[in-house]
Amino acid sequence: MTTLIGGDWGTSNLRLFRFDAGGAVLETREAARGVLAVTDGGFEAELATLLGDWLDSGRARILLSGMIGSRQGWREAPYVACPADAAAIALQSLAVASALGEIRILPGVQVERGDGCLDVMRGEETQIFGVTMRDGGAQLVVTPGTHSKWVRVKGGRIVDFATYMTGELYALLKTHSILGRLIEGDAHDDAAFAAGVQRALDEPALSKLLFSARSEGLFGRIAPTALSAYLSGLLVGAEVQAALRDGSAGRVTVIATPQLARNYLAALALAGIDDVEVMDGAQASAAGLWQLATAIPWAM
Amino acid sequence: MTTLIGGDWGTSNLRLFRFDAGGAVLETREAARGVLAVTDGGFEAELATLLGDWLDSGRARILLSGMIGSRQGWREAPYVACPADAAAIALQSLAVASALGEIRILPGVQVERGDGCLDVMRGEETQIFGVTMRDGGAQLVVTPGTHSKWVRVKGGRIVDFATYMTGELYALLKTHSILGRLIEGDAHDDAAFAAGVQRALDEPALSKLLFSARSEGLFGRIAPTALSAYLSGLLVGAEVQAALRDGSAGRVTVIATPQLARNYLAALALAGIDDVEVMDGAQASAAGLWQLATAIPWAM
């Protein structure tokens, strides 16, 4: 019996899914063994350890996505250019010789945007195909986080996308900047978050808005315990404002944990977008891995 | 004989000017003894040390500006609200009892902008009056740096201003973010700086543009040694784009060191602004301190 195993192998984590013949996830395993944690190219050994008894039933088809296909990963799988559909991505997957089974590493996707900037993703494209499998129409998909991606999907293809450094900027500013000195804790505060979002929707100059997290704190107009939510609101609001600027949002799918999704739902509502679907990240990865696996010409 | 001594006492540095009776600077002294370096409120002792023989000729009028008037300074001098002229700022200066002479600490300036945000400055307002003394017309003054201030001046008054976290964001991103991993050194590169400025003039979404410093580097479109100039261009360009957005720039005065001024001149030229005057920071502080001193009702 040939089993399909899918893996989302990112910078910090490795998450594996074992599928049944119909694409349902039978079991999930996860470890904090991201690409940066694996030294001396020990990717095969790492994978064997986590797979364990999943291999007892024989050789498996193993499909991996994410940073495992980057220069720092197992093998570099060159980016596929936009517009990119599942077939193009599946075709550019790299076969890697292994005793564990038939392993293929998925490529990332690149775009040269209208603003002249290059942009890249690795792993998110797989989640995107987990969404489009459910909804073939035009839509925006956002994967919030350290580097939020806003992805425009149409006719089953990734046509355009942009990365926002929202999560990384939030952490940097809170930990290392003058703004952090006034911030107490990181409790969520709906009103402060909404105030930050609204300001960013009204005023696109982020490097100016950010300083207001200091001045509003200095004057006690925002409490120290609410400043981190305000800062988060400024950054998420700036992202939503820019991503929706061309006015053609359609449905927006948010791939995130419930807390993060809640923030984005609130920000999108303030921007007038109510047609929003939320999807869990692991669920999107699994669905996308299955979808892409069906497009791969497996040898065995 | 009563001597006027002016001091620009900021977070990191203390710079003193000894004036003649006509306002010319006879001598300048400087020490890395900013407000954060002085412990246990030892401001008077610190000042006495640096003043030294300047006090030999008798008691002095000593006018101090900058963070010395903040909560972390010698005495807190409450902010003056915009629109603020030299008379209002001089009147709100705080007299501090001291054996060194008649000491007054200047207040900062605050504004509640049209975008609803509060903003504050301490020390820059003094430099602004060093400029307006020379040119009474409508103009924009920028003090680039860690926290760049763009200040609108009209009829001898500070009418509006905004702070951009340009310098701090640059340092944070270069030192702590994923962008820093690809950056080699911090040499200036005219072409890369201009490319960054132009992108920011065309696209106001900074948190999106910033990621291009990674993707352009990954693909080798910008050399590792030119990436820091590109990042600087993105941040300075975003500042210039936002500051000039309302279209009423008039003359722009840049108060900065020659290298920093050179970058701002280049960015302003790309934005179509050619009526630019450059002024050294110490020169602006000295001129402003003299200007404000003449508006103060000294006791002696």
Side-chain angles (χ1 to χ4, degrees), chain A residues 138-157:
Chain A
Q139 70 187 101
L140 266 176
V141 185
V142 52
T143 61
T146 306
H147 299 153
S148 294
K149 310 278 181 188
W150 283 79
V151 186
R152 191 166 294 281
V153 178
K154 206 167 185 182
R157 304 193 304 176

Side-chain angles (χ1 to χ4, degrees), chain A residues 169-237:
Chain A
L169 281 169
Y170 173 77
L172 283 179
L173 289 164
K174 202 157 164 293
T175 310
H176 298 290
S177 86
I178 195 173
L179 306 183
R181 293 191 208 160
L182 296 175
I183 293 175
E184 286 176 17
D186 56 2
H188 191 70
D189 181 297
D190 282 333
F193 179 80
V197 169
Q198 192 57 58
R199 285 213 166 133
L201 292 176
D202 295 340
E203 164 59 71
L206 183 62
S207 59
K208 170 165 77 172
L209 279 184
L210 289 175
F211 194 71
S212 72
R214 176 163 175 80
S215 46
E216 299 284 320
L218 273 180
F219 281 80
R221 299 214 303 192
I222 299 177
T225 52
L227 278 173
S228 79
Y230 176 70
L231 175 60
S232 169
L234 291 177
L235 288 161
V236 172

Side-chain angles (χ1 to χ4, degrees), chain B residues 8 10 35 48 65 67 96-97 103 110 126 169 232 289 295:
Chain B
D8 172 21
V35 168
S65 78
M67 293 303 283
V96 179
I103 297 184
Q110 73 178 76
T126 300
L169 281 169
S232 169
L289 282 162

Side-chain angles (χ1 to χ4, degrees), chain A residues 3 5 18 29 47-62 99-101:
Chain A
T3 308
I5 291 167
R18 188 162 67 90
R29 287 183 182 165
L47 188 60
T49 303
L50 198 59
L51 285 172
D53 62 350
W54 285 7
L55 297 179
D56 289 352
S57 57
R59 281 168 57 88
R61 291 174 173 171
I62 302 174
L100 303 178

